[in-house]
Amino acid sequence: MTPIIIDCDPGIDDALALLLAAGSPAMDILAVTTVAGNRPAPVTARNARKIMDLAGRHAVPVYAGAERPFSGGEARCNLVHGVDGLGGVALASEREINAGHAASMLVQLLQERPAATVELVAMGPLTNLALAEMLAPGILRRARRLLVMGGALRVPGNVTPAAEFNFYADALAAHIVLGAQAELLLFPLDVTAKAIMSDAWIASIGALGSDSGRAAAAMLAAYAEQDPLLHDACPVAYLLEPALFAGEPCEIAVDWRAGPTDGQVLAHFAHSRGAAFAPNVVAMTGVHNADLLALVRNRIAALP
């Protein structure tokens, strides 16, 4: 089994990614950590707990994390996923959020496991990861890889013309994480915009007849009206089936200064940089969408 930690901000596409991980026996989910993003921090933590309980993964701990960006100020949340973050789909959970701050738990979990064994998947603003790196410099390099959903390289942003939401929500944190010199796989809008769900596929999830399938289909139906893309499922799916994706080395930096380009990614590929090319990520740019959809559906089918 592959030990993983998932840092997220549920959010409907985060919820689907959590269900994908929960339905995959090869994944040993050490913890789910949450951050303010799609909704405020208390909501995202509660949503993560609800999703793990829906999937029958009651023993997986959920730790709440940062309530505002690394640089301070109010959290930059949105309403794409509804006021509750789950598209109005009511899910119950009587379990409490685990004690401990997400950033501290990231440090602890990465320190107590052998180096280069834990996959760290980040599907929301990178505040918790940046805080962990500040608490214990070099800690992110102990992960086997960081798999980050965020950024827009050759395509426009989805929250401003320049920026993708996760990087815009905490651009300074993204800058810190990129500077941590960890092995990083990036899943920007360039690839997630190709991970497209159809109405028929969503209906097929509901037709599974399980509680997880019905809840997932209801959430996705609400979400697909505005953004029919499986953004956050991509890094989890990569861990399961890397051949679904195509990527290339890339040298990127994030504009973290306040202003119209806040959160914008400056990206260089080998052909544009020449001898000065110094890649710091592998950026995913292609995906076999039909196979991705089949993988997600098959793993949700394994859930209660």
Side-chain angles (χ1 to χ4, degrees):
M1 296 176 68
T2 300
I4 69 168
I5 303 168
I6 300 176
D7 188 78
C8 56
D9 61 334
I12 293 169
D13 55 336
D14 302 75
L16 189 71
L18 290 173
L19 292 174
L20 173 60
S24 301
M27 288 190 167
D28 177 14
I29 307 173
L30 302 180
V32 175
T33 56
T34 62
V35 62
N38 286 314
R39 300 305 300 136
V43 178
T44 60
R46 176 51 52 193
N47 285 349
R49 182 70 273 163
K50 290 177 180 178
I51 294 299
M52 298 313 292
D53 289 347
L54 172 68
R57 302 299 295 272
H58 309 297
V60 174
V62 173
Y63 301 100
E67 298 183 356
R68 54 185 56 86
F70 193 87
S71 57
E74 295 300 316
R76 291 173 167 178
C77 300
N78 63 58
L79 286 171
V80 173
H81 305 262
V83 174
D84 66 348
L86 298 178
V89 177
L91 298 176
S93 174
E94 297 179 357
R95 289 171 175 80
E96 297 297 323
I97 307 303
N98 293 75
H101 192 282
S104 297
M105 297 313 301
L106 286 173
V107 172
Q108 179 178 320
L109 290 166
L110 289 171
Q111 284 179 338
E112 67 187 17
R113 293 273 176 154
T117 59
V118 176
E119 304 277 14
L120 177 51
V121 179
M123 308 184 300
L126 294 174
T127 317
N128 287 333
L129 274 67
L131 287 170
E133 185 66 18
M134 293 297 100
L135 288 170
I139 193 65
L140 295 180
R141 291 197 300 273
R142 287 189 62 84
R144 181 169 181 243
R145 290 174 297 193
L146 309 185
L147 296 93
V148 173
M149 190 275 126
L153 308 187
R154 295 174 169 132
V155 300
N158 62 355
V159 66
T160 74
E164 176 273 334
F165 174 76
N166 286 343
F167 279 19
Y168 173 79
D170 198 341
L172 180 55
H175 170 73
I176 291 168
V177 171
L178 285 171
Q181 300 181 329
E183 183 173 349
L184 198 153
L185 304 182
L186 187 69
F187 296 79
L189 294 183
D190 306 60
V191 69
T192 65
K194 300 171 184 175
I196 305 169
M197 356 177 228
S198 65
D199 291 342
W201 180 78
I202 293 172
S204 77
I205 299 289
L208 293 171
S210 63
D211 289 342
S212 293
R214 284 188 290 268
M219 288 187 284
L220 291 172
Y223 177 56
E225 294 178 4
Q226 300 188 63
D227 190 17
L229 304 174
L230 301 180
H231 298 289
D232 292 339
C234 287
V236 177
Y238 180 92
L239 287 175
L240 296 168
E241 297 288 348
L244 293 179
F245 296 86
E248 54 187 304
C250 183
E251 180 184 347
I252 72 171
V254 181
D255 188 349
W256 52 270
R257 301 166 299 175
T261 58
D262 189 4
Q264 182 177 25
V265 174
L266 177 64
H268 291 290
F269 294 86
H271 61 83
S272 65
R273 198 67 164 158
F277 184 54
N280 55 349
V281 305
V282 174
M284 298 300 152
T285 54
V287 60
H288 297 287
N289 189 54
D291 293 336
L292 172 65
L293 295 178
L295 172 64
V296 174
R297 185 184 185 279
N298 288 342
R299 297 307 169 96
I300 293 178
L303 295 172

